[in-house]
Every structure is written in structure tokens, then in C-alpha cells.
């Protein structure tokens, strides 16, 4: 199962590193044929300069990635990304075939811009909930939760909440025992409820 994490300049580091670690750790407990293939993906081949000057090289770009089963769109300084028509078009295209589309933190703004959240209950970083609701009034923006699962679409609150959401996705895609094993291995206190 291919888990793609979309990153961009000024992405929040834990938004992508946390989910990456969850799926990579969960795979340690799975047989070879059932492992998650988790990878970072960006618009092009260039290194991405995340928040704080953290430089990271994506494994794939828009033109060479494998089929995506789960797409996780991270947050950070997202305004420029929202204005990139090719980024929004690409996210929309992935939503047609992916089993799950998820966001961490302000990644929800990109999913909303791609019209993937219309009429759904969603969440984002506590500092951005009012902005998300104002910019996209057809959403039901929920506060004081770690994540919201609307079936095919799952959104999480800010930064570390992406780890909770990713553990939930491990449970959703595999089983609760694997999610619990993963959290224990990571020495992470998993907030299971949304």
C-alpha cells in the first residue's frame, strides 16, 4: 500500500516526519507483502526547504510517482500552495483513485481549495480554524479534537495531531493491534478518540 506524503517549501517538519515515522514503524510489524510503502512527494525534483530551514529530498514528484493509495497533505505556510493551479489539480486527480485523502494541520486548506471537503466536518490547527471556516463557509470546522474521520477524508489538527491521525489510519487500513504496537514502539501516547 503506497502512502504518499505531499510536502512543499515551508511545510511544517513534524507534519510530514510524524506520519512518515508512524507508517515506517508500523511496517516493521508487517510481513513483506503487506508493508506500507511510505514516501515523500513534491511538485518537482528539487529539495524542499521546510520550516526552520530543514532541507529534505522528496522521493517522487508529480510526474514520476507510483499509484497512491493514501495521500497525506501536510501543512505549514500554505498560502503559495493554494494559489498553484497545478498543485490543486494534482490533488484533485489523486482523490479520484486514492482510498484515503488526509491532511495534517493547514493541509486542510489545500484539500478545501481542491473542493474535497465540501459539506464535511473537518479540523485544522487551532490557530487556523476561524480562517478555514471563513474562507470555506460550506465546511463544518470542528475545534478541540485531534482528528476527524469522514470516511474517505480524514483531517487532523496541528502538527503533533498528525501522529494521532496516522495511528488512526493504521487502525483503519489494518487493525487496532498494529496501531497500538506502533504507538508503543514509538513511545507515543496515542489519543485514539477524535
Amino acid at each position: 500500500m503506497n502512502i504518499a506524503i505531499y510536502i512543499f517549501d515551508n511545510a511544517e517538519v513534524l507534519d510530514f516526519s510524524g506520519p512518515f515515522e508512524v507508517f515506517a514503524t508500523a511496517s516493521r510489524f508487517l510481513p513483506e507483502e503487506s508493508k506500507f510503502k511510505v514516501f515523500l512527494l513534491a511538485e518537482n525534483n528539487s529539495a524542499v526547504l521546510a520550516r526552520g530551514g530543514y532541507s529534505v529530498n522528496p522521493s517522487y514528484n508529480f510526474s514520476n510517482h507510483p499509484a497512491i493509495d493514501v495521500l497525506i497533505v501536510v501543512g505549514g505556510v500554505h498560502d503559495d500552495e493554494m494559489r498553484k493551479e497545478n498543485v490543486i489539480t494534482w490533488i484533485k486527480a489523486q482523490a479520484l483513485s486514492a482510498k484515503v485523502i488526509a491532511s495534517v494541520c493547514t493541509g486542510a486548506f489545500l484539500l478545501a481549495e481542491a473542493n474535497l471537503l465540501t459539506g464535511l466536518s473537518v479540523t485544522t490547527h487551532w490557530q487556523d480554524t476561524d480562517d478555514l471556516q471563513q474562507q470555506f463557509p460550506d465546511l463544518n470546522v470542528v475545534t478541540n479534537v485531534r482528528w476527524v474521520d469522514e470516511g474517505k477524508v480524514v483531517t487532523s489538527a496541528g502538527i503533533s495531531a498528525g501522529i494521532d491521525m496516522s495511528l488512526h489510519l493504521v487502525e483503519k487500513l489494518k487493525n487496532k493491534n498494529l496501531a497500538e504496537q506502533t504507538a508503543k514502539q514509538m513511545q507515543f501516547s496515542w489519543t485514539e478518540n477524535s
Side-chain angles (χ1 to χ4, degrees), residues 1-3 23-38 69 174 178:
M1 184 173 289
N2 291 330
I3 315 292
F23 286 102
T25 300
S27 284
R28 297 182 202 171
F29 301 107
L30 294 170
E32 195 60 41
E33 67 277 3
S34 299
K35 290 185 184 301
F36 295 113
K37 180 183 179 186
V38 58
D69 297 299
K174 296 290 185 179
L178 178 59

Side-chain angles (χ1 to χ4, degrees), residues 53-186:
Y54 187 94
S55 182
V56 61
N57 294 312
S59 296
Y60 298 101
N61 62 53
F62 285 176
S63 64
N64 69 359
H65 65 82
I68 295 171
D69 297 299
V70 176
L71 173 63
I72 300 173
V73 177
V74 304
V77 182
H78 60 277
D79 298 329
D80 287 345
E81 291 303 299
M82 286 180 66
R83 289 190 283 270
K84 292 181 179 176
E85 189 176 327
N86 63 318
V87 169
I88 301 306
T89 299
W90 179 83
I91 291 171
K92 284 181 186 178
Q94 301 320 301
L96 296 175
S97 56
K99 294 179 178 73
V100 176
I101 304 292
S103 65
V104 180
C105 195
T106 57
F109 284 80
L110 299 181
L111 298 190
E113 186 69 20
N115 295 315
L116 300 178
L117 304 182
T118 304
L120 300 181
S121 292
V122 300
T123 196
T124 189
H125 191 283
W126 63 267
Q127 210 168 19
D128 299 287
T129 53
D130 288 346
D131 286 344
L132 184 62
Q133 189 67 79
Q134 288 169 7
Q135 288 182 42
F136 301 96
D138 56 349
L139 308 184
N140 175 31
V141 180
V142 182
T143 59
N144 300 315
V145 295
R146 299 289 280 171
W147 46 266
V148 175
D149 187 333
E150 284 278 43
K152 183 173 178 168
V153 177
V154 184
T155 56
S156 81
I159 312 176
S160 67
I163 298 173
D164 284 321
M165 179 194 73
S166 296
L167 288 163
H168 168 69
L169 290 175
V170 168
E171 177 183 9
K172 183 181 178 93
L173 298 166
K174 296 290 185 179
N175 57 67
K176 186 170 185 174
N177 181 57
L178 178 59
E180 289 172 341
Q181 277 185 295
T182 302
K184 183 177 180 181
Q185 182 68 28
M186 292 176 62

